[in-house]
Amino acid sequence: MKFSILWVSVLLLWFSGCTIKTYETSEPKIITFKTKKLRFNDLGYIRQNGDALQVELFSAGQAVERFEINHLVCLSDGCMSKSGFNSDYLNAEYPDDTLQNILLGRNIFDGKAMSETDSGFEQYLESESYEITYRVTAEEIYFKDKPNKILIRIKAVKK
């Protein structure tokens, strides 16, 4: 009887699409988020599998927030579109993939105004609704939008 209940449970999970997500990389980082709704500066983990990301933020050793980004942005209180996340947390004028590209250390805004540096690249972007400084090196990802008071900084944890 116990065996059949276990078997039925496994089959239900399999067919319902509930699978445990595995990530190819999981790296500890010192993460700073200063946005309209999110303020954080402590240790976090960035887990990646292709373009799918999970960011888990810790404070004093306790997980305080987790969000996943793939086709949607899912936070502890629910999921929303990337444009919805930008409107609520960043700037509605940003392209949908901006946060995902920042977390992955990729260029933003389709590489507009990008210049290569000895250690990575930089982008300086300006419009009526933003003034962005974005730098990526092996040691740090730095994103700042001065008028919108947004700072995202991701630093490698020194071993």
Side-chain angles (χ1 to χ4, degrees):
M1 181 69 177
K2 287 182 183 179
F3 179 75
S4 62
I5 291 173
L6 177 62
W7 181 248
V8 169
S9 297
V10 169
L11 285 175
L12 283 173
L13 285 173
W14 177 266
F15 288 115
S16 68
C18 296
T19 58
I20 297 171
K21 292 181 183 175
T22 57
Y23 293 93
E24 294 170 0
T25 61
S26 180
E27 298 180 26
K29 304 283 186 180
I30 302 298
I31 302 173
T32 302
F33 275 102
K34 292 182 183 174
T35 71
K36 299 176 203 176
K37 290 185 171 183
L38 183 61
R39 290 199 156 315
F40 177 82
N41 184 32
D42 211 327
L43 180 69
Y45 281 86
I46 298 178
R47 298 178 179 103
Q48 177 185 358
N49 187 358
D51 284 343
L53 288 172
Q54 180 189 72
V55 178
E56 191 166 17
L57 306 175
F58 290 84
S59 182
Q62 299 291 319
V64 293
E65 180 66 73
R66 178 186 316 191
F67 55 94
E68 296 187 26
I69 305 170
N70 199 355
H71 302 293
L72 298 172
V73 179
C74 297
L75 294 111
S76 56
D77 58 349
C79 294
M80 62 183 78
S81 68
K82 291 177 182 179
S83 60
F85 179 86
N86 286 349
S87 293
D88 286 355
Y89 288 84
L90 302 173
N91 182 325
E93 300 297 317
Y94 293 176
D96 288 353
D97 60 357
T98 300
L99 179 63
Q100 194 167 13
N101 285 339
I102 292 169
L103 294 171
L104 291 170
R106 295 179 181 164
N107 68 62
I108 56 174
F109 291 75
D110 293 322
K112 181 180 173 187
M114 186 172 93
S115 59
E116 300 288 327
T117 65
D118 291 339
S119 58
F121 67 89
E122 299 177 338
Q123 288 179 262
Y124 297 100
L125 304 157
E126 196 170 350
S127 79
E128 290 181 16
S129 66
Y130 55 78
E131 184 183 327
I132 295 172
T133 301
Y134 179 53
R135 289 189 302 267
V136 176
T137 66
E139 296 82 33
E140 179 182 53
I141 297 169
Y142 177 87
F143 174 94
K144 184 171 186 173
D145 182 345
K146 198 182 280 187
N148 293 296
K149 297 178 182 160
I150 297 169
L151 174 66
I152 301 171
R153 178 182 277 161
I154 302 165
K155 293 171 122 179
V157 173
K158 296 183 182 186
K159 297 177 182 180

